[in-house]
């Protein structure tokens, strides 16, 4: 369970796609070890905003 889901109101958060992030980081490390003199490169991992109750108006949350 995510911390954003445990709080009240539930907090909006960013899903950073942790599995893909770790995969790309380990792949980049292996590439550096195999080819130490290569140029630096930028790696982009997709992410999404998970909108929860903290982005609602107060009236929606308290049932007004």
């Amino acid at each position: 369970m995510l911390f954003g889901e445990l709080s009240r109101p539930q907090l909006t958060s960013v899903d950073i796609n942790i599995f893909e992030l770790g995969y790309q980081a380990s792949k980049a490390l292996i590439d550096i070890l195999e080819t130490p003199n290569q140029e630096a490169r930028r790696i982009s991992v997709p992410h999404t905003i998970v909108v929860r109750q903290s982005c609602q108006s107060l009236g929606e949350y308290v049932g007004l």
Side-chain angles (χ1 to χ4, degrees):
M1 181 172 283
L2 300 171
F3 290 115
E5 295 174 344
L6 294 174
S7 65
R8 293 290 176 250
Q10 292 180 343
L11 301 176
T12 295
S13 61
V14 178
D15 178 359
I16 60 171
N17 200 350
I18 193 70
F19 180 82
E20 182 68 19
L21 187 64
Y23 173 79
Q24 292 296 335
S26 60
K27 185 177 170 188
L29 180 59
I30 291 168
D31 288 347
I32 290 170
L33 293 173
E34 291 177 345
T35 314
N37 295 325
Q38 66 180 313
E39 289 186 32
R41 59 190 171 131
R42 184 175 303 262
I43 299 171
S44 179
V45 176
H47 59 278
T48 54
I49 295 178
V50 180
V51 178
R52 294 194 180 94
Q53 294 170 337
S54 63
C55 284
Q56 293 177 344
S57 72
L58 184 58
E60 290 178 53
Y61 179 68
V62 295
L64 296 176

